[in-house]
Amino acid sequence: MTDATPSADGQTLTVRDDRTGKEYVLPIVDGTIRASDLGKIRVSDDEPGIASYDPGFTNTASTRSAVTYIDGEKGILEYRGYPIEQLAEKSSFLEVAYLLINGDLPSKEQYDSWVHDITFHTFVHENIKSLMQGFRYDAHPMGMLLSAVGGLSTFYPEARNIHDADTRHLQIVRMIAKMPTLGAWSFRHAQGKPYVYPDNDLSYAENFLAMLFKMSETKYEADPRLVKALEVLFILHADHEQNCSTNAVRSVGSSQVDPYSAVSAGIAALYGPLHGGANEAVLKMLRRIGDVSNVPAFIEGVKAGNERLMGFGHRVYKNYDPRATIIKKATDDVFEVTGVNPLLKIAVELEKIALEDEYFVKRKLYPNVDFYSGLIYEALQFPPEMFTVLFAIPRTAGWLAQWLELVNDPEQKIARPKQIYTGERGLVFPASSERWA
Ligand code: CMC
């Protein structure tokens, strides 16, 4: 029996249900079958159809997307079709943000107006500053950032009107503009230093460095090599298709909530050690190893399953993460200014041993973006708690590009996965007098 319309390119999957003997022909489009077609395979009309079980969405496409392309086997990453290597070398972060959001590179006029708009939205309401000042002296900056971004939604109630293109655009500009301000203030807070207001004469990355490190000088001047390194790091982190935090933004955004709330969900997801928090974990790991001579014993511990080699492995990349290659090169540029981080030696030795070891080779475990980024951040004098903040600032461009795509996608619905229920059914509630007797 044919139970679904064949695909435009004629490819199909024939499934035989051994319970009923029926055959179903499911269209294959872009290498996928529709989960709703599986739902048509059922024993009887009053029973639910077949569903797929996929914890962690390891083999489930949740959207069509034209933002970012990854070929994990070959180690390819492209934003809107442009290879990451070329963007890192030739572009600026704000140009990449424009590309991600708008789908195309800007003309000179579009670029100037984009940079102008972002620059003149960097200030935040004074009450957001008070909100941030209300945190404890030792608050994790990522917790502060996620609260502040969620809080912004209350300052821009019109952001709820997600069906209006101009309103959406304004929130996108505001969020990309204000992230460095909020990120820098979360950093200053922990140090008990006064928050520094944005300086609209500076570029995006320079302004961020000024808000982080400026003291009594009238004008903060960052080393151009460090500014360039930060731009590159921002470009590398700007998007990464349907990762955990992007999926969080899309999932929360599918309820049609405002984009500040959706992005704060992304920040929360990025906070976790298996996602954005991995570079902090890498540094802790390197410090614990302590010396190159301890690397072999550490690797044995990983292979015995006692712990993971942080900064290695990726759900998608089964080859060297292309971002790791670029970051490894950027470490040289940064260390030229700051002096070499002594942990680098341990990292290089770990990488060397792991890349030759059967355990890692067999599982296709290679260094990911987080393996070297922590070393650079530390050399730039960021404490580990700031690493995820440094990730969240550029990723906001990607989250918003993905959110925009979601809002404009007529196929998208509120995210609502199925479950396989494993609990009890129909129990009789015993009175407390019986239970506690
Ligand atoms: N060290 C040792 N073994 C590992 C590692 C690792 N870092 N990563 C995976 N494995 C092993 C794992 O034990 C499993 O082995 P086995 O088949 O014998 O059970 C196999 O490799 C597959 O691992 P998995 O956990 O099923 O793979 P996953 O796709 O679910 O996990 C990952 C991906 C990134 C969570 C994982 O590789 C990991 O925990 N890495 C360390 C944390 C890390 O560096 N995270 C940053 C990711 S990149 C930044 C980002 O995009 O957010």
Side-chain angles (χ1 to χ4, degrees), residues 356-372:
E356 288 166 358
D357 192 291
E358 165 74 5
Y359 175 94
F360 297 90
V361 173
K362 205 174 96 197
R363 291 170 178 78
K364 298 190 176 175
L365 300 171
Y366 292 87
N368 59 47
V369 69
D370 288 318
F371 194 64
Y372 286 105

Side-chain angles (χ1 to χ4, degrees), residues 240 274-276 278 302 308-315 323 359 363 365 368-370:
H240 212 229
L274 293 189
H275 192 4
V302 170
R308 290 204 158 193
L309 172 50
M310 299 310 284
F312 257 69
H314 199 276
R315 172 62 60 79
R323 301 168 300 173
Y359 175 94
R363 291 170 178 78
L365 300 171
N368 59 47
V369 69
D370 288 318

Side-chain angles (χ1 to χ4, degrees), residues 113-332:
S113 125
W114 171 250
V115 172
H116 174 276
D117 289 352
I118 301 277
T119 307
F120 285 85
H121 279 92
T122 47
F123 276 71
V124 297
H125 194 289
E126 281 293 294
N127 289 358
I128 281 282
K129 186 174 151 198
S130 311
L131 170 85
M132 295 186 79
Q133 284 171 326
F135 279 91
R136 254 171 60 148
Y137 70 96
D138 58 353
H140 196 293
M142 194 65 162
M144 290 180 68
L145 184 70
L146 100 82
S147 314
V149 172
L152 281 180
S153 74
T154 66
F155 289 80
Y156 306 113
E158 76 274 18
R160 271 178 252 154
N161 186 7
I162 62 158
H163 300 296
D164 180 70
D166 292 340
T167 310
R168 287 197 300 260
H169 180 74
L170 180 56
Q171 313 321 314
I172 287 172
V173 167
R174 280 178 172 151
M175 236 181 294
I176 293 176
K178 293 179 199 313
M179 285 299 281
T181 313
L182 301 175
W185 287 3
S186 68
F187 172 73
R188 302 282 291 202
H189 184 81
Q191 304 189 330
K193 289 182 182 158
Y195 296 2
V196 177
Y197 287 104
D199 180 343
N200 290 352
D201 292 338
L202 301 177
S203 74
Y204 193 79
E206 278 174 315
N207 178 43
F208 180 49
L209 288 169
M211 290 188 288
L212 288 162
F213 299 121
K214 187 171 180 292
M215 291 307 290
S216 60
E217 63 271 44
T218 30
K219 202 83 184 164
Y220 180 83
E221 279 181 33
D223 187 305
R225 289 167 296 181
L226 298 186
V227 174
K228 173 67 188 156
L230 195 59
E231 284 273 346
V232 169
L233 285 161
F234 277 2
I235 291 170
L236 299 184
H237 286 90
D239 196 52
H240 212 229
E241 54 121 299
Q242 307 311 314
N243 55 83
C244 176
S245 58
T246 301
N247 183 58
V249 170
R250 279 182 174 266
S251 185
V252 171
S254 75
S255 73
Q256 302 195 345
V257 74
D258 68 87
Y260 299 97
S261 303
V263 165
S264 63
I267 299 174
L270 193 63
Y271 204 167
L274 293 189
H275 192 4
N279 49 11
E280 180 175 345
V282 170
L283 274 192
K284 284 188 182 143
M285 172 188 80
L286 294 176
R287 221 163 257 129
R288 201 153 41 83
I289 296 171
D291 191 83
V292 172
S293 61
N294 298 329
V295 167
F298 176 81
I299 293 274
E300 286 313 311
V302 170
K303 285 160 63 178
N306 300 338
E307 59 186 310
R308 290 204 158 193
L309 172 50
M310 299 310 284
F312 257 69
H314 199 276
R315 172 62 60 79
V316 179
Y317 293 117
K318 301 302 167 198
N319 200 324
Y320 215 97
D321 180 338
R323 301 168 300 173
T325 317
I326 301 169
I327 289 192
K328 198 174 173 188
K329 194 188 157 298
T331 52
D332 298 337

Side-chain angles (χ1 to χ4, degrees), residues 333-355:
D333 303 339
V334 170
F335 293 166
E336 199 183 293
V337 184
T338 62
V340 177
N341 187 328
L343 297 175
L344 179 67
K345 265 190 179 172
I346 303 173
V348 170
E349 183 67 9
L350 266 178
E351 181 188 337
K352 191 174 138 271
I353 295 192
L355 290 181

